[in-house]
Amino acid sequence: MVVVNRTSVELNHFILKKLLRVRKANKNDLNEIYGIACSVGSSEKISEQGFLVDDYRANPKFYKKKLLKGINSLDHFYVAEYDKIYGFMMTYTKEQWLEDNPDWLADVYWRPDFDKSKLDNFVVVDKTAIKADLTGQGIGSLIYTRLLSDLKSEGVHNIFAETIISPQPNFASLQFRKKQKYSLAGMRYENYNDNLYTDLIYHKKVE
C-alpha cells in the first residue's frame, strides 16, 4: 500500500522495489540531498540507526557547497527517488579518492592475506545516507544494485568502504557491509575535526 498525503509517503518493501528509481544526482537535487544528510548527520549519533560523522545542520552553507561539488564532479553520485528523494550514495573512483585522500593507501593497515592487486582499479563508497525514518527498507540495496551495474559496464571490479568503530561504532553500517557480502580488508586511524577515529576498511568484488 502507498499512502500519500501532503507530508509523507509510507513505503513497504514491495512498493520500494516497484516504484523507487535510482538515477545520477544533479544540482537540482541539492536541497533534498542536504535534508537527508541532516536527518542522519547531526550532533546526535545513533549506532543502531546509522549515521554520518559530520553535523550537517551546524554549517548549511559549507555542507551544501561540499555536496554540490560532489554532484558536479563524482562519476557515481546516485539518488533513490519516488515522489521525492529518499536516499543517496557518494562513490569515488580511485583517482578521485586519492586526489582528496593522497595518503589513504599508505595509512591503511591491510590484512596480511589481503590481495593488493585489488588496489589497481577500484571505487570507494564514501557516504550512503537514507532518510532517517526509512532505514532498513532496502533503499540502500537498490542504490547498490545500480552502482554494481554501472561498475560492471565500466570494467571496475573492486569496491571499498569504510565503517567507523570508534569513538562510536556505526552498527547499522557494519550490518549493511555484512548484508552486501563485504569482507574485512584492513583498518586505519583518522584524525578528523580534532577527533581520532578508527575505521574498518571493507572490500567487495564486483561480480
Side-chain angles (χ1 to χ4, degrees):
M1 176 183 292
V2 181
V3 181
V4 182
N5 57 39
R6 294 181 180 178
T7 60
S8 66
V9 177
E10 293 182 10
L11 301 171
N12 63 28
H13 183 74
F14 175 78
I15 293 298
L16 283 174
K17 294 291 186 182
K18 293 294 183 181
L19 298 181
L20 275 179
R21 72 184 185 108
V22 177
R23 59 171 175 82
K24 292 192 175 182
N26 63 63
K27 63 182 181 180
N28 296 323
D29 302 324
L30 177 61
N31 287 332
E32 287 188 87
I33 289 171
Y34 174 72
I36 292 170
C38 287
S39 78
V40 291
S42 65
S43 58
E44 182 182 10
K45 310 298 182 186
I46 303 175
S47 294
E48 291 75 17
Q49 176 183 287
F51 57 83
L52 297 178
V53 172
D54 291 312
D55 181 359
Y56 283 78
R57 301 172 186 174
N59 192 336
K61 184 177 181 180
F62 172 80
Y63 286 110
K64 284 187 178 182
K65 182 178 180 180
K66 193 172 183 179
L67 288 167
L68 184 60
K69 179 183 177 183
I71 291 170
N72 289 332
S73 64
L74 296 182
D75 297 342
H76 302 287
F77 194 137
Y78 302 101
V79 295
E81 176 187 59
Y82 173 47
D83 59 321
K84 56 186 176 181
I85 292 172
Y86 288 92
F88 70 87
M89 175 190 289
M90 297 175 64
T91 302
Y92 290 69
T93 65
K94 177 180 179 178
E95 293 74 19
Q96 291 167 336
W97 184 249
L98 295 181
E99 181 179 352
D100 288 348
N101 306 273
D103 298 323
W104 187 76
L105 291 172
D107 287 345
V108 175
Y109 294 87
W110 300 101
R111 281 180 49 158
D113 59 348
F114 178 71
D115 179 4
K116 290 188 177 180
S117 69
K118 295 182 173 74
L119 301 173
D120 292 340
N121 188 14
F122 63 83
V123 298
V124 176
V125 176
D126 182 38
K127 291 178 178 61
T128 304
I130 309 302
K131 193 172 180 294
D133 57 349
L134 288 173
T135 56
Q137 295 200 37
I139 299 175
S141 295
L142 285 174
I143 302 175
Y144 254 89
T145 298
R146 169 62 189 272
L147 173 65
L148 291 171
S149 176
D150 286 353
L151 294 180
K152 285 180 184 178
S153 67
E154 295 166 12
V156 178
H157 302 295
N158 299 286
I159 304 175
F160 290 95
E162 298 186 327
T163 296
I164 291 174
I165 58 170
S166 177
Q168 182 171 354
N170 192 331
F171 293 137
S173 181
L174 289 168
Q175 186 62 32
F176 189 70
R177 303 288 174 238
K178 181 179 180 181
K179 179 180 179 181
Q180 292 295 324
K181 298 182 179 180
Y182 277 82
S183 59
L184 184 64
M187 64 172 291
R188 75 176 180 121
Y189 297 103
E190 177 184 14
N191 281 300
Y192 183 68
N193 289 344
D194 298 323
N195 290 306
L196 181 64
Y197 292 91
T198 305
D199 302 326
L200 295 182
I201 313 299
Y202 284 92
H203 169 264
K204 176 181 175 70
K205 185 178 181 181
V206 179
E207 296 177 325

